[in-house]
Amino acid sequence: MTGVILVGAHGHGRRHLDNLRRAAAAGTARLAGVCDLRPVDEAALAGFDPAPEQSPDLPALIDRTGAEVVIVATPIPTHAELTLAAVARGAHVLLEKPPAATYADFERVAAGVRDAGRACQIGFQSLGSAAIPAVRALIADGAVGRVRGSAPPGRGCARPPTSPAPRGPGGGASAAPTWSTAR
C-alpha cells in the first residue's frame, strides 16, 4: 500500500484528509504521516489505523515513514522548499496550485523534480468542466493521437517576469490565462 504524507492538514488540507481516509478504507493508500506546524487533533485523524506519525520536519518524517508520496497543501510561499525537500528524499509530490510564489521558484521546483527523477502533479481541479468529458472523447476516438502528458496553459506556473499581465475585455485582468510561455 502506498505511504502518503500530508503536509498542511488544516484549511484545504482537510479535503485531502477526507480523500486519504477513503483511500485507506479501500486499501489503496496509507496515511503514513502528517507534517504541520500545528498538530492535528485525534478527531480529525479518526479512521486511520494506525494513526499517522505527526511532525513539523518533513525530511525526517519521510525518512522515518518511508512514504512514497507527499501532498503539499500549505501556504504558497512554502511550496517550493517543501516540494524540493520531498523529491530530494525520493518522494513523488501532489502539489496544490499554484506550484510556487514566483517564476524563479517554479523553475527551481521543475529542475529539482527533474533532477530527482520524481513526478510532481499540480492539484488543479476542474472536474466540473465540460472540457474533461470532451477531451476524453477525443482521446477515445483517436482524434489527438497518443497522449504522452498534459499541462495547463503556461505549465501551471506564474507568468514569466517579462510577460505582460493578461487582459480581458475592457482592459481588466483576465479571469483565465491567455498568455503563453512560448518564447
Side-chain angles (χ1 to χ4, degrees):
M1 193 176 328
T2 302
V4 179
I5 291 175
L6 175 60
V7 186
H10 303 283
H12 184 68
R14 288 222 184 257
R15 283 187 181 248
H16 288 290
L17 274 178
D18 293 339
N19 291 333
L20 287 163
R21 190 175 288 106
R22 285 190 291 276
T28 58
R30 167 183 64 87
L31 181 59
V34 174
C35 181
D36 204 301
L37 297 176
R38 269 188 312 148
V40 178
D41 61 50
E42 288 182 32
L45 297 176
F48 293 108
D49 187 26
E53 182 177 342
Q54 294 193 57
S55 171
D57 185 340
L58 179 59
L61 193 56
I62 294 169
D63 291 345
R64 283 194 304 273
T65 64
E68 301 105 45
V69 174
V70 169
I71 299 171
V72 177
T74 57
I76 297 162
T78 66
H79 286 187
E81 295 308 320
L82 290 167
T83 300
L84 291 170
V87 299
R89 289 294 200 278
H92 300 287
V93 177
L94 171 60
L95 175 59
E96 282 300 332
K97 68 174 175 61
T102 67
Y103 188 70
D105 277 350
F106 173 80
E107 291 293 328
R108 282 190 322 119
V109 168
V113 168
R114 182 186 59 246
D115 293 348
R118 301 290 91 190
C120 180
Q121 169 68 47
I122 307 304
F124 185 82
Q125 302 302 315
S126 58
L127 300 177
S129 169
I132 301 299
V135 169
R136 282 188 183 130
L138 288 170
I139 293 168
D141 293 343
V144 296
R146 180 175 170 262
V147 177
R148 297 183 306 177
S150 66
R155 300 185 299 174
C157 64
R159 194 172 49 260
T162 56
S163 297
R167 296 289 171 196
S174 174
T178 55
W179 43 269
S180 170
T181 58
R183 296 174 205 239

